[in-house]
Amino acid sequence: PAAPRYLMLNKPRGLVTTAQDERGRDTVYRCFEGADLGWIAPVGRLDKASEGLLLFTSDPQWAAGITDPARGPEKTYHVQVDRIPDAAMLSGAQSGVVVDGELLGAASARLLRAGARNAWLEIVLDEGRNRQIRRLLAAFGIGVLRLVRVAIGPLALGELPKGQWRELSAEEIALMNEVKAKAASSGALPDCAT
């Protein structure tokens, strides 16, 4: 069997994270056209309007460890918003808010920079829910202008150009495996003797 593949893509805005789209929209697989990669699948998702770091692999077990909602690594996003948030909003995003009966919150939320009418935030999630950041910020009356995932655990997007991909290095794969192993051991249940 072929050796497993581990890839990083800088997903452009406007592509859907699926192999085929029933509505004929462009998918992330367009970025791999012409490359003979064999079967690879996305590790998690980014919605059509989001961009940034998206991992792909041919190793389903490795992918499952990263997407595990309880033990997967944190994901870091840079989010351009349509106003200047105050400290109370940032604190509220971390405390969490109930949206449609679901508690949404961020592991951390901080202001990166602000202009006259909008700002960039860094939001870190320790779980992934459908459109979580957009829904969380909307609860505070804040609209998202851009949403870019810049890191998954210790893997940073870095300077990879939009629409481009590269193989993960052996060091990056080992680093992710180490993070997954630490998370698995910290979440392990104790042995119970009866």
Side-chain angles (χ1 to χ4, degrees):
R5 309 291 297 250
Y6 306 93
L7 311 171
M8 166 188 295
L9 169 70
N10 186 348
K11 176 196 172 295
R13 192 176 191 159
L15 300 180
V16 292
T17 306
T18 186
Q20 293 182 335
D21 183 64
E22 67 282 351
R23 293 189 277 175
R25 298 174 294 183
D26 268 346
T27 77
V28 290
Y29 286 90
R30 185 186 75 181
C31 299
F32 300 111
E33 284 177 359
D36 186 19
L37 298 172
W39 178 84
I40 55 170
V43 180
R45 295 191 168 279
L46 283 174
D47 67 31
K48 182 180 175 185
S50 299
E51 52 195 292
L53 178 58
L54 187 58
L55 298 176
F56 286 78
T57 188
S58 60
D59 181 346
Q61 189 172 8
W62 188 80
I66 292 172
T67 58
D68 183 321
R71 299 188 185 115
E74 292 183 331
K75 294 164 185 73
T76 305
Y77 300 82
H78 288 178
V79 186
Q80 185 182 27
V81 295
D82 63 0
R83 63 175 236 206
I84 314 298
D86 58 21
M89 177 266 138
L90 294 173
S91 176
Q94 290 178 105
S95 300
V97 63
V98 176
V99 177
D100 297 328
E102 186 177 20
L103 179 63
L104 300 178
S108 71
R110 69 182 182 96
L111 182 67
L112 289 175
R113 62 186 178 276
R117 291 187 301 232
N118 59 52
W120 280 91
L121 307 177
E122 180 179 83
I123 296 180
V124 178
L125 299 180
D126 55 8
E127 61 181 351
R129 298 186 188 187
N130 187 35
R131 299 179 62 84
Q132 183 171 349
I133 292 174
R134 294 177 195 280
R135 292 165 53 216
L136 173 64
L137 294 176
F140 293 96
I142 297 174
V144 171
L145 302 174
R146 280 185 73 196
L147 192 148
V148 183
R149 182 160 54 199
V150 296
I152 298 174
L155 287 183
L157 183 60
E159 300 299 316
L160 185 65
K162 196 172 293 189
Q164 299 297 306
W165 63 272
R166 68 172 178 81
E167 300 263 1
L168 295 184
S169 69
E171 294 79 17
E172 289 171 323
I173 295 165
L175 197 57
M176 286 300 281
N177 289 338
E178 187 178 310
V179 167
K180 288 176 12 183
K182 281 182 186 173
S185 66
S186 69
L189 296 173
D191 289 333
C192 297
T194 55

